[in-house]
Amino acid sequence: MSGIEIEGLRPLDGELKVQGSKNAALPMMAAAVLHRGTTVLKNVPRIRDVFCMIDILTAMGCECSLEGHRLAIDAKTVSRVAVPREYVSSMRSSIVLLGAFLGRAGEAVTCYPGGCSIGSRPIDLHLRGLERLGVRIREREDGRIAASAARLTGARVHFPYPSVGATENVILAAVRACGTTVIAGAAREPEIVSLCRMLNGMGARISGIGEDTIVVEGVGELHDSEYTAPGDRIVTGTYLSCVMAAGGRAYLRGTEPEPLRGVLRVLRRMGAGIETAPAGIRIRMKGRPRPVRIRTAPYPGFPTDLQSPMLSLLAVSDGCGQVCETVFEGRFATADQLRRLGARIDIDGNRAKVEGVYPLRGARVEAPDLRGGAALAVAGLAAEGRTEIGGCGHILRGYEDICGDLKALGARIRQLPEDGGGADGDGGDAGGQLSAGGRLRRVRGSDGRRMSG
Ligand code: UD1
């Protein structure tokens, strides 16, 4: 899929099951290498980042089989500890393999994740945290990072900022370390809770789950296990935003409202009628969204991954709203594209002032990154005429079937035919799984279905 075409100004009405969470599934897949046996993950989304992680694990000696949304990872044999360079540049979250392979083999080799379309993403906190556990980090002449530990030893780690990836990396390394690790200033995102619960199901001993101090008592062996990934809270937030932009109603199944509690509060303030069930959210929207001021922050604050969809909603609100981005400084690339649709957005540093306009007017736009691409679909639903979104390789990294899902809600949306993959090449590393030659690779699931990868 190189592009998406949307005809806006059509109210939505429908129901869908939300896909499994990308940000939960990826570290869980990394966690599987800690065990010399089989780990089964259910509700795994069929998205590019997952296919890429399967390729990496396979290249490193694991046997992976994806059938539907059930992924079995057999990590009995691991034949290498170096993450192939091309994967690190195409998927930054492969950095969690550092902690996982240290925990498994006492060594790991990777490289600095490449440049980024949503601001700089250093890994200093990951490296400093791992060093506390006795890991020696060395930058090799070829630019790769070699990490090794004669013996991983539990220690006290204090994060000055609650980095999600750094917290995951230290947890993964600490699970099989000698002694107890205390992680203070840990990230509290729901995906970390899922990772810890999964690890405990494998035989790990982790407490303080969901709190800012996590305690990991190292264990010798883990065992075979099965775990179901939760529904994706960011995809849920995106689709709720779609209903708010287009008007109408929807029921989203397979997603827990609790991790979205703060977001739902904001959406209600903007005028949405929202009812929750234990694993579903019903939304109803009439008229234009009311403007709000939001500030992104680590969990339980407003998620930075929903900042772009929020920008789209504010762009059609009936007043002036504001967004303050505190997590990734460069995350306003979507604003340029929204302006092409007629949005009035002023950016000043990490703040965006948005004056609502309704309707927007359809135009050709380019997905700047994963969440920004999805945000353009939100805007397209509130635009008169046709909106064509190019560069949809970004969206495929995290959304299994955005067109099918929005169609199920009654949107007029269609995939534009592939044009040889050229449109996926923009945006460098954030564009997802490109081969070294820049062409889209194809991977085949064990169920034989061809998947864009
Ligand atoms: C994860 C999510 C991403 C989400 C982000 C914040 C995955 C695969 N990705 O990314 O979707 O947007 O959390 O909720 O789960 N930082 C440092 N040094 C470090 C690490 C991070 O300065 O060593 C800074 C980053 O530059 C950024 C902030 O901390 O400004 C947050 O980053 P972090 O929480 O690590 O996000 P990710 O784990 O990369």
Side-chain angles (χ1 to χ4, degrees):
M1 175 173 73
S2 68
I4 293 176
E5 188 183 83
I6 299 175
E7 271 187 51
L9 305 190
R10 183 187 164 92
L12 302 184
D13 187 357
E15 178 177 332
L16 62 84
K17 179 191 170 294
V18 175
Q19 70 186 58
S21 162
K22 163 176 102 64
N23 289 354
L26 294 173
M28 286 179 186
M29 292 170 71
V33 307
L34 289 171
H35 169 50
R36 289 165 206 270
T38 303
T39 304
V40 173
L41 298 174
K42 291 181 173 170
N43 201 28
V44 171
R46 294 178 70 98
I47 52 174
R48 281 194 177 183
D49 276 10
V50 163
F51 301 149
C52 183
M53 190 63 112
I54 290 176
D55 282 356
I56 299 177
L57 294 176
T58 305
M60 297 178 84
C62 299
E63 266 182 37
C64 300
S65 117
L66 179 66
E67 287 173 17
H69 295 94
R70 180 185 186 276
L71 173 65
I73 301 171
D74 180 345
K76 254 183 234 93
T77 49
V78 163
S79 46
R80 58 189 284 187
V81 293
V83 183
R85 192 189 285 271
E86 67 268 25
Y87 292 118
V88 181
S89 56
S90 63
M91 192 178 64
R92 186 167 297 93
S93 45
S94 62
I95 192 70
V96 290
L97 290 165
L98 198 57
F101 276 91
L102 279 164
R104 164 68 184 256
E107 55 179 326
V109 178
T110 185
C111 38
Y112 283 101
C116 180
S117 60
I118 58 167
S120 73
R121 291 176 93 167
I123 55 166
D124 54 313
L125 299 172
H126 301 239
L127 302 183
R128 300 296 83 79
L130 292 169
E131 277 175 341
R132 296 283 303 154
L133 269 57
V135 176
R136 192 169 154 253
I137 311 268
R138 198 167 47 86
E139 196 166 324
R140 295 195 327 199
E141 274 172 14
D142 61 1
R144 309 205 83 194
I145 304 166
S148 60
R151 186 181 153 105
L152 279 172
T153 311
R156 189 177 167 84
V157 177
H158 177 261
F159 287 124
Y161 183 89
S163 157
V164 174
T167 302
E168 290 167 347
N169 249 330
V170 172
I171 291 171
L172 289 166
V175 161
R176 301 209 34 204
C178 250
T180 301
T181 299
V182 178
I183 308 169
R188 295 158 59 193
E189 265 66 6
E191 293 74 24
I192 297 209
V193 171
S194 298
L195 175 65
C196 292
R197 289 195 179 139
M198 176 213 174
L199 286 165
N200 279 353
M202 292 168 78
R205 283 204 210 127
I206 306 176
S207 55
I209 297 174
E211 294 169 21
D212 62 4
T213 300
I214 296 175
V215 179
V216 186
E217 283 175 62
V219 295
E221 288 298 317
L222 298 172
H223 51 73
D224 287 3
S225 65
E226 199 172 287
Y227 194 85
T228 302
D232 193 308
R233 65 189 170 108
I234 305 303
V235 171
T236 304
T238 306
Y239 292 163
L240 292 173
S241 303
C242 286
V243 178
M244 292 190 64
R249 59 191 175 176
Y251 182 60
L252 308 184
R253 281 181 285 118
T255 184
E256 285 178 34
E258 183 50 33
L260 279 163
R261 191 206 285 239
V263 171
L264 297 184
R265 202 179 308 129
V266 172
L267 299 185
R268 283 188 176 112
R269 267 190 5 239
M270 295 178 86
I274 293 176
E275 287 165 40
T276 60
I281 301 175
R282 195 176 294 285
I283 180 164
R284 211 176 258 276
M285 182 71 188
K286 250 191 183 168
R288 290 167 67 181
R290 288 195 288 269
V292 287
R293 288 175 170 218
I294 59 145
R295 181 185 175 85
T296 63
Y299 191 83
F302 194 92
T304 175
D305 286 352
L306 285 176
Q307 182 257 101
S308 298
M310 181 53 64
L311 213 53
S312 297
L313 280 187
L314 290 176
V316 294
S317 69
D318 61 0
C320 281
Q322 261 194 49
V323 172
C324 176
E325 173 59 62
T326 76
V327 181
F328 290 111
E329 70 276 17
R331 209 170 203 180
F332 281 133
T334 319
D336 285 339
Q337 303 301 315
L338 289 173
R339 284 192 200 104
R340 289 200 208 172
L341 300 174
R344 292 198 198 129
I345 304 175
D346 269 344
I347 307 288
D348 182 7
N350 69 340
R351 278 168 206 277
K353 276 194 187 159
V354 192
E355 197 188 322
V357 177
Y358 188 87
L360 296 172
R361 46 166 205 279
R364 158 98 200 174
V365 286
E366 281 294 309
D369 54 53
L370 164 59
R371 305 303 172 187
L376 293 174
V378 175
L381 292 167
E384 191 164 30
R386 263 183 217 162
T387 297
E388 197 182 312
I389 307 170
C392 287
H394 292 295
I395 300 178
L396 293 177
R397 282 188 46 225
Y399 293 80
E400 192 172 292
D401 183 11
I402 196 168
C403 285
D405 283 346
L406 292 179
K407 245 187 214 155
L409 298 185
R412 276 200 198 137
I413 183 168
R414 74 179 180 103
Q415 286 181 17
L416 298 172
E418 293 211 18
D419 62 9
D424 289 331
D426 71 326
D429 72 298
Q433 201 173 341
L434 296 175
S435 69
R439 288 187 324 269
L440 263 180
R441 288 185 308 103
R442 299 279 178 187
V443 294
R444 199 179 284 274
S446 63
D447 56 356
R449 268 181 56 188
R450 244 185 161 211
M451 306 177 287
S452 277

